[in-house]
Amino acid sequence: MASSSVFPLFLQLILFFSLFNFSLSTRRLTELVQEQPIPLKYHNGPLLSGKISINLIWYGKFKPSQRAIISDFFNSLYSFETHHQNQPSVAKWWKTTEKYYHLTSNPKTKKPTSSFVLKMGNQILVENYSFGKSLTSKQILGLAMKGEQKNAINLVLTASDVAVEGFCSSRCGTHGSWGAKKNNKFAYIWVGNSETQCPGQCAWPFHQPIYGPQSPPLVPPNNDVGLDGMVVNLASLLAGTVTNPFRDGYYQGSADAPLEAASACPGVYGKGAYPGYAGDVLVDLSSGGSYNAHGVNGRKYLLPALFDPSTSSCSTLV
């Protein structure tokens, strides 16, 4: 029988693991303590294909400099791959998602699934808090529907003073889809700014966690704990969206609580990562910011490891 002193510590470590990356819902405890990632199973559903627009819906007050952090991230997904500039790059990180398409065959033609390209779409500012400052999941969907719904991923970003159902208590963001028919569905993502509400839960490793080992937090690469934390969660959910857009793509476990391309590698940002330690990442000598990927306009980002289906391992840039 475990002693009374060991059991609470075990619970704390489990809770700590569960805070790294949230997707559709909470993961099972048995998945949180896996030493090796579990191979993701393909459930024969369609993946996103063709040219997909990313529409940003900003709910609440965001500074222009904060919006630029997010838009530069999306503009980095392909730019450095084309121009062969600084490495490691956001584009190199994103290329891992393309491997899922190479492994997937169209059920009718038996040919590999066509590839996809993301491009920046429209940005919609909802600064008047038209739904109030406490939102339900249904209202998040309502905001997502403000964006173009054909060949799109609509991203809802809520400001630091906006509470969202389940935010902090069970999730840092989510992704889903909406539409009566599969060929008319659109995908959406929601991510909240956790800087003032729960940075120890949703902005790690840029803030000390509320559970587990208390290592010093890393310096955010764009000098914004909330927005750099949003990038981490957004990147994780974006990878889950393109590889499992309609809950029948690539995942392991329950469809209601899936392990996806990024959530299968919780808390890993560089080689040598372990609970409470993000791994051996790069440090900007001028700002002290920690990062593992270069982006456009001189940006630096810290991005989560992705599960590489070709090696059945968590792939890191550094």
Side-chain angles (χ1 to χ4, degrees), residues 286-300:
S286 61
S287 68
S290 295
Y291 69 101
N292 59 10
H294 291 271
V296 300
N297 297 323
R299 293 284 184 193
K300 294 179 174 67

Side-chain angles (χ1 to χ4, degrees), residues 51-306:
K51 292 184 178 180
I52 308 295
S53 295
I54 296 287
N55 300 307
L56 306 182
I57 298 101
W58 301 90
Y59 188 83
K61 303 294 185 182
F62 286 91
K63 299 175 183 177
S65 59
Q66 292 180 315
R67 296 199 297 268
I69 293 172
I70 301 294
S71 58
D72 282 349
F73 167 71
F74 283 111
N75 286 325
S76 301
L77 292 175
Y78 297 97
S79 177
F80 279 84
E81 180 181 71
T82 301
H83 298 98
H84 301 288
Q85 297 188 27
N86 295 338
Q87 294 292 337
S89 69
V90 173
K92 183 179 180 181
W93 170 82
W94 187 239
K95 202 167 182 61
T96 297
T97 62
E98 296 177 7
K99 296 183 179 182
Y100 289 85
Y101 285 71
H102 298 157
L103 295 174
T104 306
S105 296
N106 185 302
K108 295 181 179 179
T109 65
K110 304 302 181 182
K111 295 181 179 180
T113 301
S114 59
S115 61
F116 68 99
V117 175
L118 299 182
K119 62 177 183 178
M120 280 294 294
N122 298 320
Q123 297 200 43
I124 301 170
L125 304 184
V126 187
E127 297 180 304
N128 61 354
Y129 299 92
S130 55
F131 289 169
K133 291 190 176 183
S134 183
L135 306 182
T136 64
S137 296
K138 185 176 293 187
Q139 289 172 316
I140 291 294
L141 175 58
L143 286 168
M145 294 177 72
K146 288 181 177 291
E148 174 63 42
Q149 297 175 24
K150 185 177 180 180
N151 298 324
I153 299 175
N154 292 339
L155 171 60
V156 178
L157 302 110
T158 51
S160 59
D161 58 349
V162 177
V164 176
E165 180 182 2
F167 189 29
C168 298
S169 63
S170 63
R171 57 184 182 171
C172 304
T174 191
H175 78 83
S177 62
W178 179 256
K181 298 179 180 179
K182 279 194 173 182
N183 58 352
N184 289 328
K185 283 187 175 181
F186 76 95
Y188 69 92
I189 298 172
W190 159 70
V191 175
N193 185 338
S194 65
E195 182 176 12
T196 58
Q197 296 186 54
C198 54
Q201 291 157 288
C202 296
W204 188 89
F206 305 122
H207 191 282
Q208 285 187 295
I210 59 173
Y211 300 108
Q214 297 296 302
S215 300
L218 303 181
V219 176
N222 295 288
N223 197 34
D224 192 314
V225 170
L227 267 293
D228 280 303
M230 291 182 82
V231 169
V232 169
N233 295 312
L234 166 59
S236 174
L237 292 165
L238 183 64
T241 297
V242 300
T243 57
N244 184 32
F246 309 119
R247 301 179 66 188
D248 53 8
Y250 282 94
Y251 68 89
Q252 187 57 260
S254 166
D256 295 323
L259 282 179
E260 298 178 321
S263 57
C265 303
V268 179
Y269 298 88
K271 289 180 173 59
Y274 55 82
Y277 177 61
D280 299 330
V281 298
L282 303 174
V283 177
D284 186 302
L285 296 180
S286 61
S287 68
S290 295
Y291 69 101
N292 59 10
H294 291 271
V296 300
N297 297 323
R299 293 284 184 193
K300 294 179 174 67
Y301 296 100
L302 188 69
L303 304 177
L306 295 180

